[in-house]
Amino acid sequence: MTHVPSAETRDPEPSDGVVVAFPDRATPADEISNFFDVSLDLLVVRDLDGRVIKASRSWHTALGHHPHEMEGQPLLRLVHPEDMPGTLGSVAEVTNRKAGDPVLGFINRYRHADGHYRLLEWRAQRFGDRIYGVARDVTNRVAGEKALREAKAAAEAASVAKSDFLANMSHEIRTPLNGVIGIIDALSRTELTPEQREMVGLVQSSGVTLERLVSDILDVSKIEAGQLALEARPFDLDEAIAACIDVNRAKAEDKGLTFEIERHEAARGAFVGDSTRIRQVLGNLLSNAVKFTARGGVSVHIQVTDDTLTDDGRHTLTLEVRDTGVGFPSEHAERMFERFSQADGSITRRFGGTGLGLSICRSLVEIMGGEISATSTPNLGSRFTVRLPLERTEPVAARPKRPEVLSPRPADRPLRVLLAEDHPVNQRVVQMILSDQDVDLVTVDDGAQAVAAFAGGGFDLVLMDMQMPLMDGLTATRAIRALEAEQNAVPTPVIMLSANAMAEHQDAARLAGADLHVAKPITAASLLAGMQAVVDHQSSSVGLAI
């Protein structure tokens, strides 16, 4: 309520020299009238029959109704007919509200003098035989909230559509790419003339580059959409990085480079984190080091310390990759981690590449809570350093034991493998890869056939495509696990072979009961290594010639 000063009250220092006098006292009716005149909200006093006793001037400003025209008239005559049931309920709630009950708000539509409707938000209280109400025009606010909800829903739908599109593109591109890389890989294992071997090598290199480009574009899209999910599972550090080290060591040796590994004793054992992404970061740095080095060598330094990047007591994994390659000016160090950026245009012309790799590395490292940096000198080499916080789950001396996944198999019979794959070319790729192995391969075209064949028994391992007609690989894997549970049988290893290579697809495969996810395009090395890993931890017990 506005305070009204007495007649003796004066402005001590009027700016215009005019002495302002106020009446000696205002009556309650005058105070209410003054309050009603200055309020921007819609004020109204009505009796218990719903007739208006007094309304504020703001009714005319907001809705075009003169207060004196409203007096004596039913207030609810202005309510939209569709809102009348809810409004009557609100009126009854206010009329019967007991002392101490909360004051509830209500929104309904009131008719403007020109015929359109505005949304009003009400608060009201009963005093004696009168109801005192205050309303605020919330039409614009409600419209804005609705627009925001619709925009959010549209953005979420677009995000889902984008994810679905990326997943489909990944599958559609990787499926034929699997045929190209798999068949060329199988061809490279046959007798070839030097000229033929050179041509096969060129096709292999182009296929690997294309597969890497597809993976990079998918990763960038997921990072931009904020949909790149990380795993937090126990893993063995040696096993996590061994493959990418071995691959890049072979590449370095093929170029006549030295390849050195310096591993601190503490950099062993089991940790919790996303081993796939750690391997991806290290593999990218090593691949770049080999790629940009013509003479000298590449080295990787691995260390785990008690220093922490955060306050939660985690250890720090440090991965440092050094090379004696082309290098780059120190002022370009930060630019190297920007998308589509390389040290200069000649890098792309000389070595190729999109400039996405280091950007993805930085994003992955930052998402994992770490940091990445680079130092370099032109023509002398570069050093890239990654620091990641990791929780150790076992002491250094402890080594995780890989469980046996198969009951002993007679050594005098081949490994019986069930392949579920609907694409003829991909069927042929697997058949060619396993043709010189001690394997009895049974091929079916969909998940339903796979479950039926598995029910017959006798298989040592299942290779399951994820996306197939009639019954997909995830459903078929769940059906196989359910069948084993019913029979109280030892679980048979299942490897998911999938062109769906995103993290969520790997998670889906694991949740369905698969032991391993091998992304297409597959090669003899990736397929045989996966089979070896899930069948037995001793390579001699299976005898796959990788």
Side-chain angles (χ1 to χ4, degrees), residues 45 48 64 116 120 183 188 225 303 347 389 394 404 421 491:
V45 180
L48 297 182
H116 78 279
L120 303 184
I183 291 174
S188 70
Q303 182 177 3
I347 294 294
E394 294 181 3
E404 296 290 342
E421 168 65 67

Side-chain angles (χ1 to χ4, degrees), residues 198-220:
E198 180 183 7
M199 290 188 289
V200 167
L202 292 173
V203 176
Q204 281 182 312
S205 176
S206 298
V208 170
T209 300
L210 181 57
E211 194 276 333
R212 177 71 174 273
L213 178 60
V214 171
S215 298
D216 284 352
I217 292 174
L218 291 173
D219 278 343
V220 167

Side-chain angles (χ1 to χ4, degrees), residues 141-220:
R141 189 195 78 190
V142 171
E145 292 172 349
K146 180 182 178 182
L148 183 60
R149 288 194 302 270
E150 292 175 347
K152 180 181 178 183
E156 291 173 349
S159 179
V160 171
K162 180 178 180 180
S163 295
D164 291 342
F165 173 77
L166 290 174
N168 290 334
M169 287 301 297
S170 172
H171 183 272
E172 294 304 315
I173 293 174
R174 288 177 184 275
T175 295
L177 191 58
N178 179 66
V180 173
I181 292 179
I183 291 174
I184 287 295
D185 182 70
L187 181 61
S188 70
R189 299 158 68 86
T190 64
E191 293 294 331
L192 300 172
T193 66
E195 185 179 11
Q196 290 172 332
R197 189 164 298 282
E198 180 183 7
M199 290 188 289
V200 167
L202 292 173
V203 176
Q204 281 182 312
S205 176
S206 298
V208 170
T209 300
L210 181 57
E211 194 276 333
R212 177 71 174 273
L213 178 60
V214 171
S215 298
D216 284 352
I217 292 174
L218 291 173
D219 278 343
V220 167

